[in-house]
Every structure is written in structure tokens, then in C-alpha cells.
Amino acid sequence: MLKRIITAVVALMLLIPILWFSDTIVFPIAISLLCVIACCEMMKCVGIFCHPALSVPIIAFAAGMPLVARYAPSYTLPLVLLLFCYIIGYSVIGYKRLGISEIGLAFYEIFAVLVGFTLLVRVRDLRPHMYLIIFVAAWMTDTFAYF
């Protein structure tokens, strides 16, 4: 438990400068990095990380979507739909390599991660101080879940 709390405090110290410079390109790049890490972890959990025809485009989208949300927000929905069409196409073409249940679960998890991180950037841009509530709530619930 002490290790988890120390990790949270260190992560908070790293997060404060990113939040301070959230109006610059530093914020979407940091969110992109977190999004890539989260998508890779989700793909490892589902078992599709070893399929490069599916994992490489997902990682590319994870790296790019927070940047698109900041600098070209009108392209966010079309790009998510493009990824959806690609995954559906892969499920038709590569049905022997992966089952539809693995592809469906992977799409749901990746969609939740991508939308969550992308909306974090959009909330920061639309209401500059409201995004802090998201970070404070997540940090508090994670920290106090052990008490």
C-alpha cells in the first residue's frame, strides 16, 4: 500500500508541470503518451498485441487522437469511424487468426481508452479549469480506495 501511495505522489509531481503548461503542445503530447501506454496494456490483456495488422494502427491512432482533438477537432469523429471500419474489416479478413469476441472486446476497450483521453483534451480546451476536477477526482478515488 505504501508503494502505491508513493507512486501516486511521484506521478502527481510529474503531472503538475504538465497541467501547468496545458495550454501548450506539452499537454496533448503527454496525453498521447498515456493513451499509447493504456492501449498497449489493453491489447496485451486481450491478446491482440502480437497481431501487428491490428495493433500498429491502434497505436498510431492512440498517438494521434489527442493531438487531433486539440488542433483539428472536426476530424475526431471521422477518424474514430475510420478505425471502427478498419477493425470491422480486419474481423472479416482475419477471422481465422482472431475470433470475433477478441476483436469486439479489443475494440470496446480501445474505444473507451481513445475516447476518454481524447475527451480529456477537449474538456481542457473548451472549459480550461474543469479538467482539473477530472484529475482530482481520479487521484482521490485511487488514493483513498486503500483506506
Side-chain angles (χ1 to χ4, degrees):
M1 180 166 78
L2 181 64
K3 180 180 174 183
R4 184 78 181 218
I5 293 172
I6 291 171
T7 304
V9 169
V10 169
L12 188 63
M13 285 187 221
L14 293 174
L15 187 64
I16 287 175
I18 292 170
L19 294 178
W20 186 264
F21 296 107
S22 66
D23 57 338
T24 65
I25 196 168
V26 172
F27 185 67
I29 288 175
I31 296 297
S32 292
L33 179 66
L34 293 174
C35 190
V36 166
I37 292 169
C39 284
C40 288
E41 288 296 319
M42 288 296 181
M43 288 188 293
K44 287 177 185 175
C45 290
V46 177
I48 65 166
F49 191 73
C50 59
H51 297 276
L54 199 55
S55 61
V56 170
I58 290 172
I59 291 171
F61 269 83
M65 287 306 290
L67 294 167
V68 169
R70 163 72 54 94
Y71 297 108
S74 62
Y75 291 107
T76 304
L77 183 60
L79 287 174
V80 170
L81 292 176
L82 180 67
L83 179 64
F84 176 69
C85 290
Y86 179 80
I87 292 174
I88 293 297
Y90 184 82
S91 69
V92 171
I93 294 169
Y95 70 93
K96 291 182 180 177
R97 288 177 234 137
L98 282 174
I100 192 69
S101 61
E102 289 93 1
I103 292 174
L105 181 61
F107 174 73
Y108 174 73
E109 289 178 349
I110 298 304
F111 182 75
V113 169
L114 279 175
V115 168
F117 281 110
T118 302
L119 287 178
L120 188 60
V121 174
R122 290 300 299 149
V123 167
R124 193 286 168 217
D125 291 342
L126 294 175
R127 297 190 180 242
H129 294 92
M130 292 298 289
Y131 77 104
L132 292 174
I133 294 172
I134 298 170
F135 283 112
V136 170
W139 182 71
M140 285 176 42
T141 56
D142 190 43
T143 301
F144 293 112
Y146 293 99
F147 297 110

